[in-house]
Amino acid sequence: MPIKERSGVVISNKMEKTIVVSIENRITHKKYGKVIAKTKKYKAHDEQNECQIGDIVTIIETRPLSKTKRWNLKLIKQKSSRINISSLGE
C-alpha cells in the first residue's frame, strides 16, 4: 500500500517538535452542486522545529508517534513571508 502524502498550511507551531497542518479539501455537494471547502487538521512531527506559521508543507503518513500524531514532515514547499518578531530583538 502506498504511503499517503498531503500538502497544507502550518497553522500552529507552539508545541515542541510538533506542527498542526490544515488541509483543505474541496468537494461538490451531491444534491445542490455547490462547492464546499472542508478543512481537516493533522498533527505532524517536525524534528528541527523549522516550520513557521503560514508555511506550505508536505507531510507523509507514519506509525503512531503519540496519541494524536501520525504524520511526519517531509518538506517545506514554501516559507511564510511573515516576519518573526522574536528574532528582531536580537
Side-chain angles (χ1 to χ4, degrees), residues 37-48:
K38 292 198 171 197
T39 310
K40 191 161 182 183
K41 293 190 237 177
Y42 296 96
K43 288 190 179 118
H45 186 68
D46 178 13
E47 184 64 39
Q48 276 81 38

Side-chain angles (χ1 to χ4, degrees), residues 4-79:
K4 293 178 189 169
E5 272 193 21
R6 304 272 190 266
S7 290
V9 180
V10 176
I11 57 171
S12 173
N13 64 347
K14 296 192 183 337
M15 295 171 273
E16 271 304 310
K17 297 186 179 184
T18 303
I19 55 174
V20 180
V21 180
S22 174
I23 295 174
E24 188 178 273
N25 186 19
R26 293 179 179 270
I27 60 161
T28 306
H29 193 281
K30 288 180 183 175
K31 184 173 181 181
Y32 300 112
K34 182 177 179 178
V35 176
I36 303 166
K38 292 198 171 197
T39 310
K40 191 161 182 183
K41 293 190 237 177
Y42 296 96
K43 288 190 179 118
H45 186 68
D46 178 13
E47 184 64 39
Q48 276 81 38
N49 283 322
E50 57 192 342
C51 287
Q52 299 298 320
I53 295 173
D55 289 355
I56 298 172
V57 297
T58 300
I59 56 175
I60 56 172
E61 193 177 38
T62 185
R63 65 180 176 80
L65 300 169
S66 71
K67 182 179 176 183
T68 56
K69 193 164 40 167
R70 273 111 177 96
W71 296 83
N72 223 336
L73 176 68
K74 184 177 180 185
L75 69 107
I76 301 172
K77 285 185 177 177
Q78 182 181 336
K79 291 295 272 180

